């Protein structure tokens, strides 16, 4: 660890010790989805001494992200999310190795990510189909895998919990995933832990359509000969947009980061 990093992580090193810090610096983490949960997870990991982080997200910063995503500010609206987050993470540790991939994890792209080369895989994906695919594929690797269930429609931080996937209660996203696996008769090959909350509040505020002038979302565009979207704007295509709060999404992300830290130190102790 260099002198700059020694200074950055002085308080962390005092708690964990020199050898633990060196081991953490060698761990490789990939985070799929850097919205309200994934962005805070990445922030916590880099602030704690993890210096090899790959962040994956196809979206751009929307003004509606400002209430809950670490890199979302009025200055970053319209930027590619992973690039905005990469800049922030490098402002914390300029020597960190941050790989930013503006991509979607799908059946067609899954092999491009080489997830088997990582020590830790984090699922913070919203899309049910893509999330289920990542869960199945991540469980086939030797990497430690953690998944975030739904973090919207929640307010009480004391109700955030951790459980093995099949023991998650009261979460509509968790229930939908289980139904999907059962209907497809394809199941995760091993157990994995999830962060979730049983709390489920109703949306009370008025719903406004995204894509208006007030939203400032960049419009989706196709590149020449490129079937994938270059400027991804998902708000207008979502069947329902639920309210969410930064302290809940941050707790979800921080909880996953904490589980990674605990596991990395325990495994090497």
């Amino acid at each position: 660890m260099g002198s700059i990093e020694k200074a950055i992580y002085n308080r962390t090193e005092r708690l964990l010790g020199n050898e633990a810090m060196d081991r953490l610096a060698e761990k490789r983490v990939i985070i799929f989805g850097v919205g309200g949960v994934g962005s805070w997870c990445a922030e916590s990991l880099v602030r704690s001494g993890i210096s090899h982080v790959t962040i994956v997200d196809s979206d751009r910063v929307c003004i509606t992200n400002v209430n809950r995503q670490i890199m979302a500010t009025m200055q970053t609206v319209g930027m590619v999310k992973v690039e905005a987050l990469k800049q922030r993470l490098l402002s914390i540790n300029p020597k960190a190795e941050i790989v930013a991939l503006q991509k979607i994890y799908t059946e067609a792209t899954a092999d491009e990510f080489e997830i088997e080369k990582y020590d830790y895989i984090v699922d913070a994906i919203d899309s049910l189909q893509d999330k289920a695919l990542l869960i199945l594929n991540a469980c086939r690797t030797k990497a430690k895998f953690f998944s975030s269930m739904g973090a919207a429609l929640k307010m009480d931080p004391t109700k955030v919990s951790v459980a093995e996937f099949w023991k998650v209660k009261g979460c509509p996203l968790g229930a939908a995933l289980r139904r999907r696996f059962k209907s497809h008769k394809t199941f995760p090959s091993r157990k994995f832990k999830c962060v979730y909350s049983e709390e489920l509040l109703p949306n009370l505020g008025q719903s406004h359509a995204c894509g208006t002038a007030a939203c400032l979302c960049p419009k989706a565009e196709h590149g020449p000969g490129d079937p994938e979207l270059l400027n991804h704007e998902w708000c207008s295509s979502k069947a329902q947009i639920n309210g969410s709060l930064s302290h809940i999404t941050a707790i979800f992300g921080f909880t996953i980061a904490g589980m990674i830290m605990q596991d990395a130190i325990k495994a090497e102790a």
Side-chain angles (χ1 to χ4, degrees):
M1 201 185 296
S3 58
I4 291 178
E5 290 168 304
K6 280 280 188 182
I8 294 171
Y9 301 120
N10 177 274
R11 300 303 175 90
T12 312
E13 186 177 322
R14 285 172 183 266
L15 176 63
L16 303 180
N18 300 345
E19 292 183 6
M21 295 305 299
D22 289 339
R23 291 194 296 265
L24 288 173
E26 296 175 354
K27 297 299 181 184
R28 292 169 54 82
V29 181
I30 186 166
I31 302 173
F32 289 92
V34 292
V37 174
S39 63
W40 294 94
C41 180
E43 170 98 357
S44 181
L45 290 174
V46 173
R47 286 189 182 275
S48 300
I50 300 283
S51 58
H52 300 281
V53 180
T54 297
I55 49 178
V56 182
D57 199 301
S58 67
D59 208 357
R60 289 176 178 261
V61 177
C62 171
I63 196 169
T64 62
N65 301 149
V66 174
N67 83 315
R68 70 195 182 284
Q69 298 181 13
I70 190 71
M71 69 290 182
T73 68
M74 292 305 296
Q75 286 70 44
T76 61
V77 168
M79 287 182 63
V80 173
K81 278 187 181 180
V82 290
E83 293 297 337
L85 182 57
K86 179 178 180 178
Q87 289 182 18
R88 178 173 176 88
L89 298 178
L90 289 176
S91 73
I92 296 167
N93 179 5
K95 293 189 175 183
E97 179 189 294
I98 310 298
V99 178
L101 301 177
Q102 189 193 11
K103 293 184 177 182
I104 311 172
Y105 189 87
T106 66
E107 193 78 51
T109 65
D111 290 342
E112 299 174 12
F113 298 98
E114 300 181 308
I115 58 175
E116 67 279 356
K117 293 185 177 181
Y118 291 87
D119 299 295
Y120 296 94
I121 302 169
V122 175
D123 158 42
I125 295 176
D126 291 331
S127 163
L128 181 66
Q129 178 177 328
D130 299 340
K131 191 179 192 75
L133 177 65
L134 177 60
I135 289 172
L136 292 173
N137 289 342
C139 286
R140 296 187 184 109
T141 72
K142 294 181 180 180
K144 198 77 174 185
F145 174 58
F146 298 104
S147 180
S148 171
M149 297 293 103
L153 299 177
K154 305 175 194 310
M155 186 182 294
D156 188 345
T158 67
K159 293 183 178 179
V160 178
S161 304
V162 174
E164 195 278 321
F165 171 68
W166 293 100
K167 295 182 179 180
V168 169
K169 300 177 182 177
C171 175
L173 180 55
L177 284 165
R178 289 193 292 269
R179 286 194 301 271
R180 183 181 180 87
F181 291 139
K182 290 175 182 177
S183 67
H184 288 234
K185 294 182 172 57
T186 306
F187 302 94
S189 58
R190 59 181 166 94
K191 295 181 178 181
F192 61 95
K193 289 185 178 180
C194 303
V195 58
Y196 74 102
S197 170
E198 292 187 54
E199 183 179 28
L200 194 63
L201 302 174
N203 284 310
L204 298 179
Q206 183 178 357
S207 176
H208 298 281
C210 203
T212 63
C215 176
L216 304 181
C217 279
K219 299 305 176 189
E221 298 174 359
H222 288 275
D226 184 358
E228 288 198 14
L229 296 175
L230 296 181
N231 294 336
H232 299 267
E233 181 275 297
W234 300 112
C235 295
S236 58
S237 63
K238 289 183 177 179
Q240 181 175 340
I241 298 176
N242 293 317
S244 52
L245 296 169
S246 62
H247 70 276
I248 294 294
T249 61
I251 290 171
F252 270 56
F254 286 156
T255 299
I256 293 176
M259 289 192 289
I260 290 173
M261 294 290 294
Q262 284 183 300
D263 183 81
I265 293 168
K266 184 196 307 181
E268 302 291 348

